[in-house]
Amino acid sequence: MSDHIPRIRDELQRGFGSGKLKSVAFRREQLLALAYLLQENQARFQEAMQRDLGRPPLETSLLDLNGSIREAFLCYKRVEQWAKEESPKFNLATWAISPRLRKEAKGIVLIIGPFNFPIWCLFSPLAAAIAAGNAAVLKPSSHTPATSALIAELVPKYLDPSLYRVVLGDNAEVSALLDLQWDHIFLTGGPKAGRIIATAAAKYLTPITLELGGKSPVIIDPSCDLETSCRRLLWAKTSNAGQICTGPDYVLVPKHFQDEFIEAMSVQYANFYPNGPAASDSFSRIVGPRHFTRIKALLDATKGEVALGGETDSATNYIAPTVVRDVREGDSLLSEELFAPILPVVPVEDLDEAIAYIRARDHPLALYLFAQDETVKRRVINSTLSGSVGINDCLLQVSAEGLPFGGVGPSGYGAHKGKFGFDTFTHLRPVIDSPWYVDLFMSLRFPPYSTKSLQKINAAMLPTLPNWQGAGKNVAMTTSAPVPVNVNARGRFWDGEAVAIGIKASGKGVLLNGKEWLGLVLGMGVVLVGCWVNFGRAL
């Protein structure tokens, strides 16, 4: 039953309304508690992931747990700096109104996680949401029941239950969550789920972040270090049994280089699984029967040639690491994101055809290139668009500190990790405080308006543009009373946008009357005193 979900949201609203999260010190306590939640229960998470995905403990630590702990600790260390109110770069035109930027929490956020990385994809955005001062509901995947149950058990033990809750369940619970209004929704999932979330969010104009996926291509250039490239590529394709949204989906290789590439892959395959992948304790399983059936159907329908692997076992949801060569346009393995340990190899004539193939499809979440030729690297990056790029390695761009994680277009929008995650869950709130003396030199904004006032405002506010060969040739319409604005830049104060004093178009004089001169002198005097005080504080 999902009747309790509105009550959970209401309780979190009261918790958020208490103002506890206004305190950065309190946020740091919660972030540290989150880090300990993960660190003190590593063995339990490894065991749960072993039950849900047959995942080796090393992969759970490397791909899920360690990154989550690091993210929580990074937010713990940096939140005081990130949350500070900021002032824009000093500008004489606007200094007097004291512009500043506050970092406000959005409110109650909903974070929906996937089955393939049920720890990192929930707790990494949660750390950012906490750092930004938000309350949150977590919805882990129903496809990983052991891990989701563990999350539901641990969160109320470590985090403030008036601010952070977990909702378990399937489609009914997700529907109940989406019927409610949230202040931000963060989803990691597939394009189908992304469309559902976006449609539901539109009802309340809720801001959303979508981390989706797609078919991430790999270009193999003959200039690459082939042994290293194949070892890294095979690792990325077989980790978590290929169920990684940024994982390599298919390979584009020159036709004349395909045999050499397949041979190098077979060497690494034998190194990884000397007794075969089915007997290996270093290879995961597909998450469930429905996903197994989908993947096997795609493999059975391929017109390509299975070069490595190909074995399946429905009883254990086992699909062997598989390399399929000579895959052509329109093949079943190219029809959708595989999310499987199957690597289709698509032969192309050259780099131009490889780039054209990628450009003709949706922007992927990741693009990978194996090449030593710097010219090839520049061409691929400059000719394509993707969420991220990995050159001579795969997946590691996600773990690089200081870089965002996110897609573009159909592969998602928005980003998280570190400061990028903090910004995702933060409302940047501009504030000004305008003193009485501002009207001494900004009085021209008040009625009654006149042509002279417009001249003065334009003269002071409009920038002096550099010469352009098309100037004056594309005017669509003119006013009945054109106003000269060709102001000599030497007549400007500071950067040309300082004070609306009405410099004459020729730059030879001013158009101020006595009262305006008095206001200007007094206003500038106040500004100069303010500058002296401001700089004195800075020193």
Side-chain angles (χ1 to χ4, degrees), residues 126-194:
L126 175 61
I130 294 173
N134 298 277
V137 168
L138 304 180
K139 173 59 183 73
S141 173
S142 60
H143 296 296
T144 51
T147 306
S148 297
L150 181 58
I151 291 170
E153 174 197 332
L154 294 176
V155 165
K157 291 181 179 179
Y158 284 81
L159 302 181
D160 188 332
S162 71
L163 297 168
Y164 305 106
R165 302 285 286 273
V166 178
V167 171
L168 299 179
D170 206 337
N171 293 337
E173 284 71 24
V174 173
S175 296
L177 287 166
L178 295 180
D179 282 339
L180 301 175
Q181 183 170 4
W182 305 93
D183 297 301
H184 194 102
I185 300 176
F186 189 107
L187 167 78
T188 303
K192 180 180 178 181

Side-chain angles (χ1 to χ4, degrees), residues 11-22 26 160 162-163:
E11 290 172 359
L12 293 191
Q13 284 183 327
R14 288 193 292 273
F16 180 77
S18 71
K20 286 189 283 189
L21 284 164
K22 292 285 187 181
F26 179 80
D160 188 332
S162 71
L163 297 168

Side-chain angles (χ1 to χ4, degrees), residues 34-90:
L34 177 60
Y36 272 99
L37 181 158
L38 297 163
Q39 183 164 290
E40 291 182 341
N41 295 281
Q42 291 184 72
R44 296 188 67 190
F45 276 114
Q46 290 168 349
E47 181 184 349
M49 290 306 303
Q50 183 82 43
R51 293 205 301 272
D52 287 332
L53 288 171
R55 183 196 280 177
L58 185 147
E59 284 190 3
T60 294
S61 290
L62 178 65
L63 301 177
D64 240 339
L65 275 170
N66 292 354
S68 302
I69 296 170
R70 288 174 56 194
E71 188 70 15
F73 187 53
L74 176 68
C75 291
Y76 169 82
K77 291 190 298 181
R78 302 281 175 82
V79 63
E80 285 185 310
Q81 174 189 341
W82 296 342
K84 284 182 179 177
E85 193 174 90
E86 295 180 15
S87 296
K89 182 180 178 181
F90 180 82

